[in-house]
Amino acid sequence: MGASASVAHADGSGRGAPTFVLVHGSGSNSYYWQPLLRELGLRGHRAIAVDLPGHGPGAYLPESYQFPQDLDRLRTEPSPISRVTLGDFAVHVIGVVRRARRNGPVVLVGGSLGGATLNAVANQVPDLLAHLVYASAFCPTEHPSVLRLMMTPEAATSSVFRLPAIQTPPELGVSRVNWRSGDPAFFALVKESIAADRPDAEVRALMNILEPDESAAVGASEDARGLPTGWGRVPRTFLRYTQDRTIPLPLQDLMIREADATTPHNPFRVRSLPAPHAGPRDPALLADELELVARLSR
């Protein structure tokens, strides 16, 4: 499945300028970053958005997910993404980083569950990275996994707990969400969870680029901690999304505190943006922040 993962890119600056490598979150793909890619490209920056293994053109969409949907079958239909691991994500992104590094410094950017991949990559190849940017992304350090972070009191208000997922059997190894549900109550919860500031039409467009399946192991059982010997050597920025109801501010701040305690000599550079989980509606706000990081990374 790793071979099917693809790369979308916006070409800009010449050799020696930082390259932004963008990593998407759960059930997403490189298309999520297209507005930011466009903005960065127009500003003359080099940026690449990866499709993690099992996502984008390599995604498996269950037959029961198509219209007309078979909801009973959707609960049990297997998906090859169940075999994909955080290690597979890391291997793929490291390959992209190695190629991008030939042109100059690399700034690795992750959103949501993509933060776990940032940790895994930085643990293995810290010398290839100029900076890490967590855009309201998970950054486990003291807690071993994303699931353990979501079990903390700081995560208690997360709207994810009210967002109905497909109840698949544990042995299926898949976290599955029916983004094509026609239930108005489901739509309202999705909007509240990820894009409360968007008009309904934009939320529907966002839902239609999301993929139903994610490997359950990536967030639940795999050790995703950033380690001082690797990850802890890379300068890092955390972009706090102050309107995020999926990763609420108390949880974002907990991750920042725990990371800083793990490497007090290399604390997070922290910036706050008035954005929900899906990020700023205006990609210029995020591009402005990445330009600041680029200056630090030259």
Side-chain angles (χ1 to χ4, degrees):
M1 293 184 72
S4 68
S6 66
V7 175
H9 71 297
D11 293 318
S13 306
R15 294 181 64 85
T19 298
F20 299 103
V21 176
L22 313 176
V23 181
H24 62 77
S26 177
S28 191
N29 47 60
S30 63
Y31 191 77
Y32 165 78
W33 295 110
Q34 289 305 312
L36 178 61
L37 282 177
R38 196 160 46 242
E39 181 67 21
L40 290 171
L42 289 170
R43 296 184 184 201
H45 296 288
R46 184 184 300 109
I48 299 166
V50 300
D51 284 304
L52 294 172
H55 295 271
Y60 175 82
L61 299 178
E63 290 183 14
S64 53
Y65 183 64
Q66 310 302 322
F67 185 83
Q69 291 190 320
D70 184 340
L71 297 182
D72 287 334
R73 185 181 171 197
L74 191 58
R75 296 185 183 95
T76 58
E77 185 174 343
S79 171
I81 203 171
S82 65
R83 301 189 295 271
V84 176
T85 67
L86 182 60
D88 295 326
F89 286 179
V91 166
H92 179 69
V93 174
I94 288 171
V96 175
V97 167
R98 288 191 187 280
R99 293 186 64 186
R101 186 66 179 81
R102 299 170 189 169
N103 297 311
V106 172
V107 174
L108 191 59
V109 183
S112 193
L113 186 62
T117 299
L118 264 61
N119 282 15
V121 171
N123 282 339
Q124 296 183 53
V125 292
D127 294 336
L128 298 183
L129 303 171
H131 209 101
L132 299 169
V133 179
Y134 293 77
S136 195
F138 287 102
C139 182
T141 49
E142 293 185 15
H143 293 79
S145 68
V146 170
L147 176 62
R148 293 291 293 275
L149 281 167
M150 290 301 291
M151 294 169 63
T152 62
E154 288 80 1
T157 62
S158 173
S159 56
V160 163
F161 297 123
R162 295 188 290 111
L163 191 66
I166 301 296
Q167 297 303 308
T168 56
E171 59 270 20
L172 208 64
V174 172
S175 299
R176 179 168 287 164
V177 178
N178 184 10
W179 300 111
R180 293 178 179 170
S181 168
D183 183 356
F186 175 77
F187 176 82
L189 281 171
V190 170
K191 180 172 180 175
E192 176 188 345
S193 297
I194 63 176
D197 64 335
R198 284 9 178 224
D200 287 358
E202 289 187 23
V203 177
R204 291 191 186 94
L206 176 60
M207 291 170 67
N208 274 283
I209 70 167
L210 295 174
E211 299 164 5
D213 291 351
E214 186 58 78
S215 170
V218 171
S221 60
E222 295 194 66
D223 194 325
R225 284 176 290 189
L227 303 176
T229 53
W231 162 90
R233 293 162 46 196
V234 186
R236 58 182 186 260
T237 291
F238 198 101
L239 300 179
R240 297 168 76 250
Y241 287 176
T242 60
Q243 299 168 10
D244 194 335
R245 296 173 184 172
T246 296
I247 307 179
L249 270 180
L251 181 55
Q252 295 179 53
D253 291 338
L254 173 68
M255 291 188 289
I256 293 168
R257 289 196 306 271
E258 292 184 344
D260 289 354
T262 299
T263 56
H265 60 284
N266 181 28
F268 263 117
R269 171 182 172 270
V270 179
R271 304 278 292 179
S272 295
L273 295 176
H277 191 64
R281 188 180 180 197
D282 182 358
L285 295 178
L286 192 49
D288 288 346
E289 294 298 331
L290 294 185
E291 283 191 328
L292 291 174
V293 169
R295 296 189 193 109
L296 298 173
S297 305
R298 289 180 181 271

